[in-house]
Amino acid sequence: MRTRLSHILQEHKNKFGTTYTPSGWLFKKAGPPEAPKPLSFYVLTDGNWQPQNEVGPIIKDLVDSMVAHHLSKEHVGIQFIRFGEDQQGIARLNHLDHGLGLKDRGMDIVDTTPWYGNIWKQLLGALNSWYDDDPD
């Protein structure tokens, strides 16, 4: 889990502070430079990863970069959709959702929801506080 999530988030983080010029039609002038597009990341998991696969530090590092580049919390959302009822997996995902101190920084970009939960929370919980605070 750590390796793949780290690779994807680092790739996106490398775009912070840069702009790109969207391509236009042939013989048409391209538009003004734009910031990197937001990223919504959905992880289907049971939360049972090998001990060396802790992803909390990766997420905290991403938030530090977002803060340094003055990006809003809506710029990246990480939604863990949980399958299974293993208590250790549930605890690990709840820690990522509530135990990283991201909400205190105004950067709560992580949410976790069981697969049978509210579909709107699954889609928007990492981006929208109203859905994120929904207990289901």
Side-chain angles (χ1 to χ4, degrees):
M1 174 60 74
R2 179 183 178 95
T3 302
R4 190 65 187 137
L5 186 62
S6 177
H7 176 73
I8 291 169
L9 294 180
Q10 184 63 48
E11 200 172 276
H12 189 69
K13 195 168 66 169
N14 289 343
K15 297 175 187 174
F16 293 174
T18 63
T19 58
Y20 71 96
T21 304
S23 59
W25 294 95
L26 190 60
F27 306 116
K28 187 176 179 184
K29 189 176 180 180
E34 297 178 2
K37 296 185 183 212
L39 174 70
S40 292
F41 196 67
Y42 299 91
V43 181
L44 308 177
T45 183
D46 62 0
N48 287 318
W49 312 316
Q50 296 173 356
Q52 66 271 23
N53 279 323
E54 175 57 44
V55 296
I58 295 167
I59 294 170
K60 285 178 154 181
D61 184 56
L62 172 70
V63 167
D64 290 343
S65 287
M66 290 172 63
V67 169
H69 288 94
H70 308 290
L71 297 171
S72 72
K73 80 172 211 77
E74 291 81 14
H75 190 76
V76 176
I78 304 171
Q79 178 71 46
F80 292 96
I81 300 173
R82 179 180 50 79
F83 288 82
E85 297 296 327
D86 180 79
Q87 293 305 307
Q88 183 178 3
I90 292 171
R92 177 177 282 130
L93 294 174
N94 283 335
H95 172 72
L96 293 174
D97 190 5
H98 304 292
L100 297 180
L102 302 179
K103 194 169 198 168
D104 297 338
R105 298 180 69 188
M107 296 296 283
D108 187 9
I109 65 168
V110 178
D111 188 45
T112 184
T113 307
W115 68 271
Y116 53 80
N118 180 338
I119 188 69
W120 291 111
K121 180 173 170 47
Q122 291 175 6
L123 294 173
L124 300 172
L127 301 171
N128 181 302
S129 298
W130 191 77
Y131 287 105
D132 187 29
D133 293 337
D134 182 17
D136 193 26

